[in-house]
Amino acid sequence: MPTLPRLLLLIPSVVLTTALIACEAPDRQASASGGVAPDVQVRLVLPDAPTVGPADITVHVTDGEAPVEGARVELTGDMTHAGMEPVIEAATGGEEGRYRTADFAFTMAGDWILTAEVTLPSGDTVLEETQVRVSQP
C-alpha cells in the first residue's frame, strides 16, 4: 500500500500527464469518426497582402486529382495571442472543389492562424491550417 508521501507525489504526476494528453494537437487529417482521408488535399488561397477588413478567401478541396464537391467548409481565424474572439465564417460554393467566402473579417492587424475545417460528403473531416500576417489598410 502506498504511503501518504508517495501518494502525494503520484497525484500531480497523473494530473500533469492528463493535461499534456488533453492539449495534444489534433491530427490534421483525422476523421470525425477516427478514420483518415489521406488523398484529400485542402489549400487556402488568400489575398497577397491581407489587411484589416473583409477578405476574399478560397478553399480548394481535392481528392487525389479530383475536385470535391458537396463538402461543408468552415473557416476559423484566431489571433496568435490570447484575448481575441475568433472569426468564424462558412465558405460556400463547391463547384470544381472551390469554396469561397468574400467577407471573412480580419478584425485586427497582427498574426493570425486560419483553419479550414472541411467536412467531406462521406462525413470525414479534414483540417488545414495556415498562418497569416494581417496589416492595416
Side-chain angles (χ1 to χ4, degrees):
M1 177 174 226
T3 64
L4 184 57
R6 284 187 178 177
L7 188 57
L8 290 176
L9 288 174
L10 181 63
I11 291 173
S13 298
V14 170
V15 170
L16 181 59
T17 301
T18 303
L20 289 174
I21 291 170
C23 292
E24 182 179 342
D27 181 351
R28 290 176 38 164
Q29 291 194 331
S31 160
S33 61
V36 175
D39 294 333
V40 174
Q41 298 295 316
V42 177
R43 184 172 53 95
L44 285 84
V45 179
L46 290 90
D48 287 334
T51 59
V52 173
D56 185 358
I57 299 173
T58 302
V59 180
H60 294 268
V61 184
T62 56
D63 186 354
E65 297 291 322
V68 175
E69 297 181 359
R72 192 178 80 238
V73 178
E74 184 175 84
L75 295 173
T76 301
D78 290 293
M79 298 284 303
T80 58
H81 59 81
M84 294 299 297
E85 186 173 327
V87 175
I88 302 170
E89 193 72 40
T92 59
E95 295 79 26
E96 298 183 23
R98 287 191 296 262
Y99 300 82
R100 180 175 174 258
T101 177
D103 55 359
F104 186 89
F106 287 112
T107 55
M108 177 183 258
D111 294 325
W112 288 71
I113 298 171
L114 191 60
T115 305
E117 181 176 344
V118 179
T119 303
L120 302 169
S122 66
D124 289 333
T125 301
V126 180
L127 300 176
E128 181 62 32
E129 195 173 86
T130 189
Q131 293 190 1
V132 179
R133 174 152 293 162
V134 175
S135 61
Q136 289 293 337

Coordinates of all heavy atoms in Angstrom, one line a residue, residues 11 25 48-49 60 74 87 89 104 109 112 135:
I11 N -0.2 12.0 -7.4 CA -1.3 12.8 -7.8 C -0.9 13.9 -8.8 O -1.5 14.0 -9.9 CB -2.1 13.4 -6.6 CG1 -2.8 12.2 -5.9 CG2 -3.1 14.4 -7.1 CD1 -3.4 12.6 -4.6
A25 N -2.2 18.5 -30.1 CA -2.8 19.0 -31.3 C -3.5 17.9 -32.0 O -3.0 16.7 -32.0 CB -1.7 19.6 -32.2
D48 N -2.8 38.5 -51.5 CA -1.3 38.5 -51.4 C -0.9 39.3 -50.1 O 0.1 38.9 -49.4 CB -0.7 39.2 -52.6 CG -0.7 38.3 -53.8 OD1 -0.7 37.1 -53.6 OD2 -0.7 38.8 -54.9
A49 N -1.6 40.3 -49.8 CA -1.2 41.1 -48.6 C -2.5 41.4 -47.8 O -3.1 42.5 -48.0 CB -0.5 42.4 -48.9
H60 N -9.6 25.3 -51.8 CA -9.6 24.3 -52.8 C -9.6 22.9 -52.1 O -8.7 22.7 -51.3 CB -8.4 24.4 -53.7 CG -8.4 25.7 -54.5 ND1 -9.0 25.8 -55.8 CD2 -8.0 26.9 -54.3 CE1 -8.9 27.0 -56.3 NE2 -8.2 27.7 -55.4
E74 N -15.8 25.4 -43.2 CA -15.9 26.5 -42.2 C -14.5 27.0 -42.0 O -13.6 26.3 -41.7 CB -16.5 26.0 -41.0 CG -16.7 27.1 -39.9 CD -17.5 26.5 -38.7 OE1 -16.8 26.0 -37.8 OE2 -18.7 26.7 -38.7
V87 N -12.9 34.6 -35.4 CA -13.8 34.9 -36.5 C -14.1 33.6 -37.2 O -13.2 32.8 -37.6 CB -13.1 35.9 -37.5 CG1 -14.0 36.1 -38.8 CG2 -12.7 37.2 -36.9
E89 N -16.5 31.8 -40.3 CA -17.3 32.1 -41.5 C -17.4 30.8 -42.3 O -16.4 30.1 -42.5 CB -16.6 33.2 -42.3 CG -17.4 33.8 -43.3 CD -18.5 34.7 -42.8 OE1 -18.3 35.4 -41.8 OE2 -19.6 34.6 -43.4
F104 N -14.8 37.3 -45.1 CA -14.1 36.9 -43.9 C -13.5 38.1 -43.3 O -12.7 38.8 -43.9 CB -13.1 35.8 -44.2 CG -12.5 35.3 -42.9 CD1 -13.0 34.2 -42.3 CD2 -11.3 35.8 -42.4 CE1 -12.5 33.6 -41.2 CE2 -10.8 35.3 -41.2 CZ -11.4 34.2 -40.6
A109 N -5.0 44.0 -37.0 CA -3.7 43.7 -37.6 C -2.9 42.8 -36.7 O -3.1 42.8 -35.5 CB -3.0 45.0 -37.9
W112 N -2.3 35.9 -37.5 CA -3.5 35.0 -37.4 C -3.1 33.6 -37.7 O -2.2 33.3 -38.5 CB -4.5 35.5 -38.3 CG -5.2 36.8 -38.0 CD1 -4.6 38.1 -38.0 CD2 -6.5 37.0 -37.5 NE1 -5.5 39.0 -37.7 CE2 -6.7 38.4 -37.4 CE3 -7.6 36.2 -37.3 CZ2 -7.9 38.9 -36.9 CZ3 -8.8 36.7 -36.9 CH2 -8.9 38.1 -36.7
S135 N -2.2 43.3 -42.1 CA -1.7 44.6 -41.8 C -2.9 45.6 -41.9 O -4.0 45.3 -42.3 CB -0.6 45.0 -42.8 OG -1.1 44.9 -44.1

